Amino acid sequence: MPFAIAIDGPVGAGKSTISDQVAERLHILHMDTGAMYRAVGLSCLRAGVDINDEAAVTKHLQDGKAEVCVRYADSLQHTLLNGEDVSTAIRTQEAGTAASAVSRYQAVRHAMVALQRDFAKGQSVLLDGRDIGTVVLPHADVKIFLTSSDAIRAERRQKQLAEKGEFRSFEEILAEVRARDLQDETRAIDPLRKADDAVIVDSTELTIEETVDAILSIVHQRTAGKA
Ligand code: DC
């Protein structure tokens, strides 16, 4: 019997890394839905479309200028924009900010949610994002709300950026994390919020391995032998 796992949470909570490892341990595919919003954001940036102009972003999408799709090679997600693999290009701060902006719009959410639901049909999957447990897969077998303090999320992000050669101040990154939280939590459509039946996993004091183990043990309890 296929089963579905939904992992939601704020920016920098480690959703992608942890979801990758949980999915690998369960031998199922992981869809990072944030990557899809990033691809739409990137498309707007490249085309010079104002990300704060809902009508312009909607037209860009409806004109077929931002065709997003997700493919897998060796269980690894590749995010394609108009056929181009943009998996690396979407990992910038600018693409993240653009994603947060365009993800406020109904037309964008509508298109991405349809792709995500389609992916979850007929196979066991793990999806991570902001609205998976509340909107995309409201009947998911397991719902996790993965979070940690904003300071630790900013610290982790600072480290990640430094590894890529981008050195930024902690204060600046913390301000960005807080701004993104605010935008994701207060948008009118499908804001980031914990589903009523989601289990909170707070990774502030946990290592990646401990967080993965905590989630796996919840998965095993909830799926009772399916996973
Ligand atoms: O997880 P991330 O930082 O890659 O996500 C980028 C943005 O995409 C995030 O700020 C909000 C949006 N997003 C969303 O609205 N719904 C999702 N399911 C995933 C991401």
Side-chain angles (χ1 to χ4, degrees):
M1 265 289 273
F3 60 92
I5 304 173
I7 300 188
D8 291 301
V11 64
K15 291 188 303 293
S16 293
T17 311
I18 284 157
S19 298
D20 259 343
Q21 296 195 14
V22 170
E24 195 185 335
R25 296 264 291 269
L26 295 169
H27 307 289
I28 63 174
L29 291 181
H30 161 217
M31 179 184 251
D32 166 0
T33 62
M36 302 165 75
Y37 292 96
R38 282 171 180 264
V40 176
L42 179 70
S43 178
C44 292
L45 293 180
R46 283 180 172 177
V49 172
D50 180 359
I51 54 171
N52 291 308
D53 181 343
E54 179 168 2
V57 173
T58 301
K59 182 170 184 323
H60 183 67
L61 204 72
Q62 285 170 351
D63 286 350
K65 303 258 175 64
E67 295 287 350
V68 174
C69 86
V70 165
R71 293 277 174 268
Y72 287 83
D74 291 331
S75 303
L76 216 83
Q77 176 174 337
H78 292 265
T79 306
L80 307 190
L81 171 64
N82 304 323
E84 175 195 343
D85 190 338
V86 290
S87 307
T88 307
I90 56 174
R91 290 295 145 207
T92 61
Q93 194 70 29
E94 294 71 43
T97 304
S100 185
V102 301
S103 68
R104 292 174 294 170
Y105 308 141
Q106 183 75 69
V108 175
R109 301 211 68 79
H110 204 264
M112 296 306 115
V113 169
L115 291 172
Q116 293 155 14
R117 286 189 179 146
D118 209 43
F119 172 77
K121 269 190 206 137
Q123 61 176 346
S124 293
V125 289
L126 185 162
L127 270 67
D128 90 79
R130 302 293 192 285
D131 60 338
I132 309 302
T134 51
V135 176
V136 180
L137 303 175
H139 304 297
D141 301 82
V142 186
K143 296 183 187 177
I144 306 284
F145 194 80
L146 180 63
T147 189
S148 47
S149 73
D150 51 8
I152 207 91
R153 289 187 282 126
E155 198 181 301
R156 288 178 189 151
R157 181 126 305 210
Q158 190 187 27
K159 252 191 222 152
Q160 266 174 7
L161 291 174
E163 278 161 17
K164 289 195 274 174
E166 209 181 308
F167 299 95
R168 309 257 312 279
S169 81
F170 172 77
E171 288 69 27
E172 197 186 345
I173 296 178
L174 181 62
E176 277 170 11
V177 163
R178 288 182 173 159
R180 187 98 86 82
D181 282 354
L182 188 72
Q183 176 145 296
D184 291 349
E185 287 165 5
T186 58
R187 68 175 180 226
I189 313 165
D190 306 339
L192 166 66
R193 70 172 182 83
K194 178 189 146 329
D196 294 336
D197 50 351
V199 181
I200 295 177
V201 173
D202 186 331
S203 71
T204 307
E205 311 270 334
L206 303 180
T207 63
I208 291 178
E209 293 70 30
E210 288 168 340
T211 311
V212 168
D213 286 343
I215 292 176
L216 282 171
S217 104
I218 297 165
V219 169
H220 290 312
Q221 279 166 26
R222 298 260 164 146
T223 56
K226 275 204 251 175

